[in-house]
Amino acid sequence: MADPFPPDIENAAYDWTARLLGVLERVLRLRIRLNGDPGVLEAGDIFVFNHFARVETFIPPYLIHRHTGAHCRTVAAAELVRSTGPLGRYLAALGAVPNDQEGLLAFLATEVIRGHRVVVFPEGGMVKDRRVLDEGGRYRVYSRTTRERRKQHTGAAVLALAVAAFRRTVRQAEAQGETERIEAWVERLGLPDPEALLADARRPTVIVPANITFYPMRVSENLLEWAAHRFVHGLSPRLAEEIRIEGNLLLRDTDMDVRLAPPIRVEAFLTPWDRALARIAATDPEGPQDFLGRASGIGRLWGRRRRRLSLRIRDRYMVAMYQAVTVNLCHLASRIVQRWVDAGETEVPADRFHRALYRAIKAVQAEPDVNRHESVDHPDEYAGLLRGSCPGLETFTTTASAAGLIERDEGSYRFSGKLCQEFGLDEIRLENPVAVYANEVAPLPGVRRAVDAALSALDRPDPLGWLRARFDDEERLYALERASFCRPDTDEITRVEGTKVPGEPYLLVPKAPRSPAVLLVHGFTASPAELRPFGERLASLGHPVLGIRLRGHGTSPWDLRERTWEEWLDSVRRGFEALREAWDRVAVVGFSAGGILALRLAADRPEGLDRVAAVAAPVRVRDRGMRLVPLVHGANVVAHTLGAPDLMRFHRSSPEHPEINYIHVPVKALYELGRLIDDTLDRLGDVACPVLLVQGSEDPTVDPESGEILYEHIPVRDKALVLIPSDRHGILREDIGDTQGRVIHFLGG
């Protein structure tokens, strides 16, 4: 007797899924991110996903339902769906159909016409090793049944062709006024009325390729695994492996990137001959199932043609599905390690690995067809890489070390012979996650090019290339932060602030550069535009110039409100380190708070720091209200803790250059400025390079005594304090009293 068709889909199963995922997102920081055009979810009929974990059987239906309200039929492993346990009942209620169901494609075709979506995993099983290319570079996956590599399934394509052919037949019947035939279809298909059928027939038949990428993949034990071993006797190695890997995906901080590729319209593959052939093969179809082929006559001819079409469509959606991988830092690190191991390397210096990975990140950012995870897209995520410390690097090395693949000490990375071993399908995720990561991005030409470029850059002298790569990070940060803080709740502030001079960082490299290179650091609430005219003058004299942007500046006062003085100092450090890629000697010139930051950098005595000029650097300020800032800030902190509004978020100022400086100054930023000044005063005794201090005699913003205080506390003998007769604060930008000329002379020009 044939198995009964799957039970009806239950809304309660979708509601339960939403609650479960909501808890996982809030409590365990599982982040499910839908990338791509959400409108594709509404347009799609059949969705093809890669298959790496069990959770993919319920995540896609949940997302499709959340965005469209439509229910899904998901083709799932028979042993899961037919299980009488809670998981089997849940999946069946969610719409899962066993993959060995009799008449499966006919049933799914009918479900599509009824308005359901269909989710298919064309790989035919969980591809735990992520290896989808064979030795010849062709798409193949390992089959447990045949124990060899085979092509991915064409079921989704065959299904789509049947649906497309039936929809065309319905449209023709409508055009010819065959109302009785249409009503017969409505009755057989269980539709509410003819209009429902006709509305469906007007839809193009669309396959949506999609990819789910998990980051990171962990191999350590977890609570779910502990409970399984405690309460389930005789747990198989295969199930134990799945519980460990997938328990970590769900129960720990994980990014689940669901990326929708461009939709594939099946009708685009059909020629007029194909449409005629399909119509003749199913002369009087009762439903879409009759377009799945017949055993004789024209039916055989249509079956052969359908087979060719399904192979073409299959190849199209498989390429799109694999190209939709969201590339992360572990992918690039794994490919680099794999390249070195294949070349016979057993150990590399730590700095060489970090620089190779950094250049791979920068190269992959330039690949237009590569989808990037924030670990390789946002400089905050990888900025510490060249210093040997960043979250993604720590994740990679921890996982590789736990698997016994890579050993790291202070100066190098050592590669285990285990990286070259072959592991079974149910072992590789635990034993060699590096291979799993590398396999996942193997189909991406952009990743291969990026890794090639990175390894090539290590041995090719290209100091300006390294400088420009690091400067690109500063430009990316500026663009990301501008976009991030253009929110509805900033509209009023933005309106009052008005149009500002663009606040992006700048890099000026003369054709015949001379030392020292100069790092320009703008003032509090300003942007790099403040010192750009001076930077252009320096560049005309041959000095390479980098106008760095302090975090929170040049974007929005709301952005500045989120920042700390340590982030401002880190901006200065990054700019200094970038220039050091190309020049041995770097001078730092800072204006106002930028001058304090320049002195604070000097206190750390970085190698290559040639000298520092601090212009109008504040120790004391004219505004007596600054004394109340710690009190107001403390009150804001208390109010925030209690869930109450801040006592005062912004202080309204009247800057000399409102086209550059913020008018609204965050109270928190004023508090951070005070902290910066205090910390710098404590560290001035560590300054060891030559220092020039320039101060306006009647500065309306900074108390002129600030210059004297700094001069007294800086212990170096090569120092000077210059007092410029001026009642303006912006003496460097406005070049009052030849301030620019004095700084240029100090720089040796």
Side-chain angles (χ1 to χ4, degrees):
M1 175 183 290
D3 292 341
F5 280 120
D8 292 338
I9 298 171
E10 300 177 13
N11 280 322
Y14 285 87
D15 295 339
W16 187 88
T17 303
R19 288 194 297 271
L20 171 64
L21 294 178
V23 170
L24 292 176
E25 288 180 304
R26 289 192 306 273
V27 178
L28 301 175
R29 294 190 298 175
L30 170 68
R31 291 178 292 272
I32 302 174
R33 297 183 290 204
L34 183 65
N35 304 285
D37 181 7
V40 171
L41 294 175
E42 185 66 47
D45 294 297
I46 301 159
F47 295 81
V48 290
F49 282 84
N50 61 319
H51 200 15
F52 181 67
R54 301 288 183 191
V55 297
E56 286 143 0
T57 56
F58 63 86
I59 294 293
Y62 158 73
L63 290 175
I64 294 169
H65 179 70
R66 188 178 75 182
H67 285 271
T68 69
H71 289 149
C72 293
R73 287 295 186 183
T74 304
V75 181
E79 66 268 19
L80 283 181
V81 183
R82 288 203 170 91
S83 168
T84 58
L87 180 59
R89 293 195 299 271
Y90 160 67
L91 290 177
L94 200 64
V97 185
N99 57 2
D100 64 354
Q101 177 71 53
E102 184 178 344
L104 177 61
L105 288 181
F107 171 71
L108 294 176
T110 302
E111 289 289 87
V112 170
I113 301 300
R114 290 171 176 163
H116 292 159
R117 308 296 193 264
V118 171
V119 174
V120 178
F121 303 103
E123 293 164 330
M126 291 171 60
V127 184
K128 296 182 179 181
D129 60 0
R130 292 292 203 194
R131 186 178 170 190
V132 298
L133 296 177
D134 64 12
E135 291 77 3
R138 299 166 301 182
Y139 286 122
R140 297 286 192 278
V141 293
Y142 182 77
S143 169
R144 289 183 184 273
T145 304
T146 63
R147 296 186 179 181
E148 61 182 9
R149 296 202 164 269
R150 56 160 175 78
K151 291 285 282 184
Q152 293 84 348
H153 295 317
T154 59
V158 173
L159 172 62
L161 287 168
V163 170
F166 178 68
R167 283 174 169 166
R168 179 175 176 79
T169 301
V170 173
R171 293 196 300 271
Q172 290 176 331
E174 179 188 21
Q176 295 170 6
E178 298 177 356
T179 56
E180 291 184 3
R181 195 179 188 197
I182 291 173
E183 289 174 355
W185 282 327
V186 168
E187 183 177 354
R188 292 191 195 103
L189 294 171
L191 296 172
D193 51 52
E195 186 52 42
L197 176 62
L198 296 176
D200 175 83
R202 297 181 191 115
R203 287 172 56 98
T205 303
V206 173
I207 298 176
V208 179
N211 186 285
I212 299 181
T213 314
F214 298 98
Y215 175 80
M217 181 177 63
R218 299 181 178 90
V219 299
S220 57
E221 295 183 0
N222 57 66
L223 181 62
L224 187 61
E225 182 186 13
W226 174 86
H229 281 292
R230 184 174 179 85
F231 298 108
V232 179
H233 298 291
L235 196 65
S236 69
R238 175 181 173 181
L239 186 56
E241 181 266 354
E242 292 175 3
I243 290 173
R244 175 178 292 192
I245 295 297
E246 295 167 38
N248 280 325
L249 295 179
L250 285 175
L251 302 180
R252 297 183 63 179
D253 186 8
T254 302
D255 291 343
M256 188 182 300
D257 281 281
V258 182
R259 189 170 299 277
L260 305 172
I264 298 171
R265 292 187 58 159
V266 175
E267 286 83 0
F269 290 82
L270 297 172
T271 66
W273 165 250
D274 294 324
R275 291 190 285 267
L277 194 61
R279 185 172 64 252
I280 295 171
T283 53
D284 188 20
E286 296 184 357
Q289 69 276 6
D290 290 334
F291 290 92
L292 292 171
R294 292 181 178 176
S296 61
I298 296 296
R300 281 202 303 270
L301 187 59
W302 163 242
R304 287 195 294 270
R305 179 58 183 164
R306 187 192 64 211
R307 173 64 178 167
R308 296 191 188 95
L309 289 171
S310 65
L311 290 174
R312 287 177 54 201
I313 296 170
R314 186 270 314 276
D315 291 345
R316 175 76 65 83
Y317 62 63
M318 292 311 301
V319 170
M321 190 180 84
Y322 290 135
Q323 295 295 318
V325 169
T326 303
V327 176
N328 59 57
L329 186 143
C330 289
H331 286 133
L332 298 180
S334 297
R335 290 289 295 182
I336 290 170
V337 168
Q338 189 179 66
R339 284 283 302 276
W340 277 330
V341 170
D342 289 345
E345 298 280 356
T346 59
E347 183 174 355
V348 296
D351 181 65
R352 183 174 176 82
F353 180 48
H354 300 157
R355 290 176 76 81
L357 183 52
Y358 176 79
R359 284 305 291 260
I361 289 171
K362 299 308 299 177
V364 89
Q365 288 174 354
E367 292 288 344
D369 296 328
V370 172
N371 303 302
R372 298 182 298 273
H373 181 264
E374 63 186 23
S375 61
V376 297
D377 200 48
H378 200 303
D380 275 346
E381 295 295 318
Y382 61 81
L385 188 58
L386 292 175
R387 301 172 189 168
S389 174
C390 81
L393 176 67
E394 186 65 28
T395 295
F396 174 75
T397 55
T398 298
T399 300
S401 176
L405 302 171
I406 298 176
E407 182 180 349
R408 178 183 178 182
D409 58 26
E410 292 184 0
S412 66
Y413 290 89
R414 286 189 290 274
F415 306 137
S416 165
K418 189 178 177 182
L419 284 162
C420 302
Q421 295 179 24
E422 291 288 336
F423 294 97
L425 204 60
D426 297 319
E427 300 174 305
I428 191 166
R429 293 193 295 187
L430 292 176
E431 300 295 341
N432 194 351
V434 171
V436 176
Y437 275 124
N439 289 343
E440 189 169 22
V441 292
L444 304 182
V447 170
R448 296 197 295 271
R449 287 192 295 267
V451 171
D452 287 344
L455 295 179
S456 175
L458 291 181
D459 301 314
R460 185 180 68 246
D462 183 22
L464 279 179
W466 282 94
L467 168 59
R468 295 187 191 282
R470 298 186 71 155
F471 175 67
D472 181 70
D473 286 342
E474 303 305 319
E475 292 184 304
R476 294 178 70 83
L477 277 174
Y478 174 69
L480 287 166
E481 287 168 12
R482 275 189 63 85
S484 177
F485 285 91
C486 291
R487 303 187 309 249
D489 60 344
T490 69
D491 285 350
E492 179 62 21
I493 294 291
T494 302
R495 184 186 65 79
V496 176
E497 287 289 332
T499 302
K500 303 289 185 186
V501 175
E504 70 269 19
Y506 51 86
L507 175 64
L508 309 173
V509 180
K511 291 183 179 179
R514 56 178 292 194
S515 288
V518 181
L519 179 67
L520 293 182
V521 188
H522 63 80
F524 183 62
T525 77
S527 76
E530 183 175 53
L531 300 183
R532 177 140 196 171
F534 179 49
E536 292 172 347
R537 182 176 175 182
L538 288 172
S540 71
L541 297 173
H543 292 286
V545 176
L546 172 54
I548 199 66
R549 183 186 69 92
L550 305 177
R551 298 297 293 275
H553 291 74
T555 51
S556 163
W558 291 93
D559 186 8
L560 182 58
R561 185 171 177 265
E562 301 294 320
R563 305 299 173 181
T564 65
W565 74 266
E566 290 91 349
E567 290 181 276
W568 305 336
L569 180 60
D570 192 58
S571 298
V572 177
R573 285 198 186 104
R574 288 199 313 273
F576 177 81
E577 291 168 358
L579 286 173
R580 282 280 291 139
E581 292 283 0
W583 285 278
D584 293 333
R585 296 170 53 219
V586 176
V588 183
V589 178
F591 170 71
S592 193
I596 290 292
L597 285 164
L599 293 170
R600 178 60 183 80
L601 177 71
D604 290 336
R605 300 186 181 183
E607 184 178 353
L609 178 59
D610 187 69
R611 56 194 59 228
V612 165
V615 181
V619 174
R620 296 176 182 170
V621 297
R622 298 283 199 181
D623 188 352
R624 295 183 178 181
M626 279 291 290
R627 300 174 184 175
L628 299 176
V629 167
L631 180 63
V632 177
H633 173 71
N636 285 344
V637 171
V638 172
H640 181 75
T641 303
L642 298 176
D646 290 353
L647 180 68
M648 180 181 181
R649 284 182 175 175
F650 296 97
H651 167 68
R652 185 75 175 264
S653 67
S654 300
E656 291 177 342
H657 299 284
E659 75 281 7
I660 293 174
N661 293 80
Y662 294 149
I663 297 171
H664 295 82
V665 183
V667 170
K668 182 178 181 297
L670 291 168
Y671 176 74
E672 292 296 327
L673 177 61
R675 292 182 62 223
L676 167 64
I677 293 171
D678 291 343
D679 187 85
T680 302
L681 289 175
D682 289 342
R683 292 290 309 278
L684 284 178
D686 296 324
V687 175
C689 66
V691 174
L692 171 66
L693 302 170
V694 184
Q695 178 61 56
S697 62
E698 302 297 329
D699 190 325
T701 302
V702 174
D703 189 324
E705 290 185 8
S706 295
E708 298 175 8
I709 295 171
L710 292 171
Y711 186 85
E712 291 173 2
H713 283 78
I714 294 172
V716 299
R717 301 180 68 177
D718 191 354
K719 61 182 178 178
L721 171 61
V722 178
L723 198 64
I724 302 293
S726 173
D727 61 356
R728 298 280 289 177
H729 179 55
I731 56 176
L732 182 56
R733 175 179 172 81
E734 299 171 22
D735 194 20
I736 297 174
D738 193 30
T739 299
Q740 293 184 8
R742 292 173 185 269
V743 174
I744 291 170
H745 178 75
F746 173 68
L747 295 175

